[in-house]
Amino acid sequence: MDAVLVRRVVVVVAAVGAIAAVMAPSAVAQLSPTFYDGSCPSLQSIVRSTVAAAVQSEPRMGASLLRLFFHDCFVNGCDASVLLDDSSTLTGEKNAAPNANSLRGFEVIDSIKSQVEAACPGTVSCADILAVAARDGVNLLGGPTWAVPLGRRDTRTASQAAANSNLPSPSSSASALVSTFASKGLDSRDMVALSGAHTIGAARCASFRSRVYNDTNINPGFATRRRQVCPAQGGDGNLAPLDALSSVRFDNGYFRNLIGRFGLLHSDQELFNGGPVDSISAARASMAVVPEAATRRRPDRLLAVAVAVLVAHALPRGGNAQLSPGYYSASCPTVHGVVRQVMSQAVMNDTRAGAAVLRLFYHDCFVNGCDASVLLDGTPTAPGEKGAGANAIGSNNGFDIVDTIKTQMEAACPGVVSCADILALAARDSVNLLGGPSWAVPLGRRDALAANPSGAASDLPGPESDINALIAAFAAKGLTSQDLVALSGAHTIGVATCASFRTRVYCDANVSPAFASHQRQVCPASGGDGSTAPLDSLTPDEFDNGYYRNLVSGAGLLHSDQELFNNGPVDSAVRLYSSNPAAFSSDFAASMIRLGNISPLTGSTGEVRLNCRKVNS
């Protein structure tokens, strides 16, 4: 997906959420993303943390929630009718032919509803919960996010007959699919974009048996492999991934499958079978996942786009088992909303704020672990880390932003949320708000009781580090060379001071002459140490893969940057990220989780500071 496709997916999913307008046009005008801001401000964080835990436990659940939403909206509108159980007076939709033995995720919605009722009794509809959960399921598996219009009410009835007649089947033809979507006010482009939801999830053998045994427009080897899990008779419940390329990542693999005749369902391959929507599907297949920066610039727009990723296993390679994305679900359900709101305003005011907070998190975790020690002010008897080593080179700004978040957090949940966790969440949101991925942040850290200025002086690699020193510094923290390359991609945003890159642009041989000449204009041979230049000269305010493209062309600003692409051991990783933004997004999210797991204080160790700048008295 490129920016156009991401934008299209977001708009179309929002349109599906407004399908009720087909029956009642005035209804959608009453929907608003801020509908519950006053009456239930914790809604978004409750949904997010519950869905994150569910997807972490089973990545397929993201697809299940999205399908649940689709099957609800296509039957008399988005009214939560699909959630109703059968009773003596009502025949529900769960046992309709398209839903029986296949719809899943009801227990996740039930869990969210229970938590929302505890926080905001009788306020939030099940229909709205389902709409937000579907959005988060997509986002957590690497897809876009959007502001969900809210304010739906729940129906008191269901329609099994409508479920049987309105939902397209896996044997539908292209013309039938176009007609079905048109009846809901959705055009052919909408139909193709929404079908891309099949980039995640699985299908039952009963749904694709006819396809792999009878269809002629199928890759023979693919058909043979699928027959191994789907015999000609029996095994109706056996599963196969809908996207053979990347079944737990929301990307454009589904469309690439169609080009190769790897569509699992007959209805899938109908989108690329010499028919009216082939050109749309082919266009989707050729697009890579990149963010739409223009949308980020327009906070007044309904849909804010960002490409987002959740690594299926949030605590890989020795992650701390005491940390959990849902740690504050009961004790401070507003934590995500507070951090997001403050960071949104900060980035809107100055895009460099995102880079500053991200750098704070990195510099914190590399010194004694992620314990908020970097936030401590120095005293006459206890010097802090703020002026030590690499922290003194281009000051670590962002402290005031963390202070603002902490003040609001203490008002909402006194003495509950640590400064270390605030910094971890703020770093994630900094990335995401500038167009980068998102991830479920493991939480439960405690704050350090002291700083370590000597560690800050010795452990943080400097801008003159060579590749061996960089690999060694990361290895000392349990991070691999791949983590080094992925995390260095944070330099796609932010600036560096002249003092950090003067030697690079005047002395290094492996620098683009034109790039060096340009940088010398802001960084004289002597003086001007505080003058700044963007670390990514291509897209300095967007979190994308421009940093790696700079390195390939010899335009890394710091000596340590260009060391990643200098005929050394990590050149191949830089080449990959320079040409594959989706791979960078995914790996960056995974490495950020690992970075955040460096030696956290948990349990009774440390404290929850009331003021991030000083230990509790």
Side-chain angles (χ1 to χ4, degrees):
M1 297 180 203
D2 73 350
V4 175
L5 179 53
V6 170
R7 194 164 54 238
R8 184 69 183 174
V9 170
V10 171
V11 171
V12 171
V13 178
V16 170
I19 279 179
V22 174
M23 280 73 72
S26 64
V28 175
Q30 300 177 42
L31 301 184
S32 167
T34 62
F35 187 84
Y36 296 110
D37 281 7
S39 59
C40 193
S42 60
L43 170 64
Q44 301 281 349
S45 60
I46 291 173
V47 176
R48 181 78 177 189
S49 61
T50 305
V51 174
V55 170
Q56 182 179 328
S57 176
E58 182 190 11
R60 183 185 167 206
M61 188 54 67
S64 298
L65 293 171
L66 179 57
R67 185 167 186 257
L68 200 56
F69 179 58
F70 174 81
H71 281 224
D72 181 46
C73 291
F74 255 57
V75 180
N76 293 347
C78 309
D79 58 5
S81 60
V82 75
L83 304 178
L84 289 169
D85 288 336
D86 290 354
S87 71
S88 58
T89 59
L90 181 146
T91 300
E93 299 166 14
K94 293 181 179 180
N95 291 313
N99 297 337
N101 301 313
S102 66
L103 279 187
R104 307 168 69 248
F106 297 106
E107 70 283 357
V108 177
I109 302 301
D110 290 342
S111 175
I112 295 170
K113 181 62 174 174
S114 295
Q115 295 177 59
V116 170
E117 283 301 305
C120 319
T123 301
V124 181
S125 68
C126 299
D128 279 342
I129 287 173
L130 184 53
V132 177
R135 185 271 312 274
D136 286 351
V138 168
N139 184 227
L140 288 162
L141 289 175
T145 189
W146 57 93
V148 179
L150 300 169
R152 301 167 186 80
R153 302 269 289 177
D154 298 326
T155 185
R156 299 175 63 87
T157 63
S159 178
Q160 188 173 108
N164 281 323
S165 63
N166 290 2
L167 290 162
S169 79
S171 60
S172 295
S173 66
S175 59
L177 291 168
V178 170
S179 176
T180 299
F181 278 72
S183 71
K184 305 300 178 185
L186 301 168
D187 64 20
S188 296
R189 290 180 65 207
D190 297 329
M191 185 268 288
V192 174
L194 286 170
S195 296
H198 282 185
T199 191
I200 53 176
R204 300 169 69 244
C205 167
S207 298
F208 64 85
R209 177 182 285 116
S210 178
R211 162 81 173 143
V212 300
Y213 282 94
N214 301 321
D215 282 5
T216 57
N217 62 345
I218 188 170
N219 179 280
F222 175 71
T224 298
R225 290 192 297 275
R226 290 298 172 257
R227 289 171 187 163
Q228 294 173 6
V229 298
C230 185
Q233 293 182 331
D236 285 2
N238 295 350
L239 298 175
L242 285 158
D243 176 355
L245 292 173
S246 51
S247 61
V248 294
R249 179 182 296 176
F250 199 99
D251 57 16
N252 71 337
Y254 167 80
F255 298 104
R256 288 181 282 137
N257 287 328
L258 301 187
I259 300 300
R261 309 295 183 186
F262 292 100
L264 184 64
L265 306 181
H266 178 87
S267 56
D268 288 332
Q269 198 60 58
E270 280 288 293
L271 303 189
F272 191 80
N273 191 36
V277 295
D278 279 27
S279 60
I280 305 173
S281 297
R284 297 334 186 208
S286 65
M287 294 172 177
V289 181
V290 297
E292 165 54 285
T295 307
R296 167 176 55 76
R297 302 282 192 180
R298 291 286 308 277
D300 57 308
R301 290 180 62 171
L302 173 64
L303 307 171
V305 179
V307 176
V309 172
L310 171 73
V311 179
H313 301 287
L315 301 176
R317 295 213 293 264
N320 193 291
Q322 297 183 54
L323 301 183
S324 166
Y327 185 84
Y328 296 109
S329 294
S331 60
C332 192
T334 61
V335 59
H336 293 276
V338 171
V339 175
R340 184 78 175 190
Q341 182 180 20
V342 175
M343 283 309 312
S344 295
Q345 188 62 53
V347 170
M348 191 184 307
N349 292 340
D350 183 357
T351 54
R352 291 178 300 177
V357 170
L358 180 58
R359 187 170 187 254
L360 267 183
F361 179 62
Y362 168 78
H363 281 223
D364 181 48
C365 291
F366 251 59
V367 180
N368 287 2
C370 308
D371 59 4
S373 61
V374 75
L375 303 178
L376 288 168
D377 286 339
T379 70
T381 58
E385 299 170 14
K386 294 181 179 180
N391 291 338
I393 303 174
S395 62
N396 262 328
N397 297 312
F399 298 107
D400 56 334
I401 299 172
V402 176
D403 290 341
T404 299
I405 297 171
K406 183 61 175 175
T407 298
Q408 295 188 26
M409 205 70 74
E410 285 302 305
C413 314
V416 174
V417 182
S418 68
C419 299
D421 279 344
I422 286 173
L423 188 51
L425 289 169
R428 186 269 310 274
D429 286 352
S430 295
V431 170
N432 188 226
L433 287 163
L434 290 173
S438 184
W439 56 92
V441 178
L443 300 168
R445 300 167 186 82
R446 304 265 288 178
D447 298 326
L449 299 175
N452 183 3
S454 62
S458 62
D459 291 3
L460 290 165
E464 296 297 326
S465 297
D466 64 22
I467 188 61
N468 293 325
L470 291 168
I471 290 174
F474 276 68
K477 305 301 176 183
L479 300 171
T480 67
S481 57
Q482 178 180 321
D483 294 322
L484 159 66
V485 180
L487 289 171
S488 295
H491 282 185
T492 191
I493 54 175
V495 299
T497 60
C498 168
S500 300
F501 63 85
R502 177 181 286 113
T503 300
R504 163 78 176 144
V505 299
Y506 281 94
C507 302
D508 281 5
N510 62 347
V511 64
S512 160
F515 176 74
S517 176
H518 178 73
Q519 298 307 329
R520 289 171 188 163
Q521 294 175 19
V522 298
C523 184
S526 62
D529 285 4
S531 300
T532 62
L535 286 157
D536 175 359
S537 58
L538 290 174
T539 50
D541 294 328
E542 297 177 26
F543 199 99
D544 58 14
N545 69 336
Y547 167 79
Y548 301 103
R549 288 180 280 137
N550 288 328
L551 300 187
V552 170
S553 64
L557 183 63
L558 306 181
H559 178 87
S560 56
D561 287 331
Q562 198 61 55
E563 280 288 293
L564 302 186
F565 193 79
N566 192 34
N567 297 315
V570 296
D571 280 24
S572 60
V574 171
R575 284 195 184 278
L576 171 64
Y577 295 153
S578 71
S579 62
N580 191 331
F584 166 52
S585 288
S586 178
D587 289 352
F588 182 83
S591 293
M592 281 294 288
I593 292 173
R594 286 191 282 273
L595 175 66
N597 286 330
I598 297 176
S599 306
L601 303 177
T602 59
S604 60
T605 308
E607 65 180 8
V608 174
R609 280 188 227 136
L610 304 181
N611 180 333
C612 293
R613 291 177 179 266
K614 62 182 182 180
V615 298
N616 297 337
S617 56

